[in-house]
Amino acid sequence: MDDKTILREHGLKATPSRLAIFSFLCNQHVPLSAETIAAKLAKKNIDLSTLYRTLNSFSEVGLVKKEVGAGKENLYSLVSEEECHYLVCLKCHNRFKLEGCPYHEVNETIEKQTGYRILDHNTEIYGICPDCQD
């Protein structure tokens, strides 16, 4: 399915800016801040306010997941079936993707204890990577 079709299926117009942002996010493997996305798309002449509006629109329709990073900044990534959790180095800021989700049992326990139906979660674990420990 092409990008235009995906946007339209989510009730969004396939504008050039939206297509550029969506296409860019499709090729990313880690969540990114709006400022980082803007810098990477600088040649596309997408202003920061358009980028924020687009990311919010994508988030509202379930295309993009917004989470909070180590520096308390919002990070954005495409929603996927695969759950992603990361180890983040506080010195070099490298991210290491963990395989699988260690939180399924915890979520089930929380649901049983509280009556909440957990729909989503995100997790980053902060520490110092082996390279920075030297």
Side-chain angles (χ1 to χ4, degrees):
M1 188 177 320
D2 72 343
D3 294 349
K4 284 183 182 182
T5 303
I6 293 169
L7 292 179
R8 288 180 182 142
E9 283 185 350
H10 284 84
L12 299 170
K13 290 182 182 178
T15 66
S17 295
R18 285 181 177 161
L19 287 168
I21 294 165
F22 184 76
S23 177
F24 173 77
L25 289 172
C26 285
N27 294 308
Q28 303 310 303
H29 304 289
V30 296
L32 300 170
S33 69
E35 290 76 14
T36 300
I37 296 168
K40 299 286 187 182
L41 293 175
K43 293 180 183 176
K44 302 284 184 181
N45 293 321
I46 299 170
D47 63 72
L48 202 53
S49 63
T50 298
L51 177 62
Y52 275 111
R53 279 194 309 275
T54 300
L55 291 171
N56 284 330
S57 295
F58 287 178
S59 179
E60 288 172 3
V61 299
L63 282 173
V64 165
K65 182 176 185 175
K66 180 167 66 171
E67 53 195 275
V68 179
K72 306 299 182 211
E73 74 280 7
N74 288 326
L75 301 175
Y76 301 88
S77 61
L78 283 185
V79 170
S80 70
E81 296 298 317
E82 176 188 358
E83 292 186 58
C84 296
H85 302 291
Y86 297 93
L87 293 171
V88 180
C89 180
L90 293 172
K91 286 191 175 184
C92 67
H93 306 288
N94 282 336
R95 300 165 66 87
F96 176 78
K97 184 176 177 181
L98 297 173
E99 296 301 321
C101 177
Y103 299 102
H104 289 293
E105 290 179 24
V106 172
N107 287 348
E108 288 175 15
T109 301
I110 292 169
E111 285 181 338
K112 287 177 186 172
Q113 290 175 348
T114 66
Y116 271 74
R117 185 172 57 123
I118 296 176
L119 302 176
D120 195 12
H121 65 269
N122 58 52
T123 303
E124 291 183 337
I125 302 168
Y126 305 104
I128 308 298
C129 72
D131 291 339
C132 291
Q133 290 177 30
D134 295 336

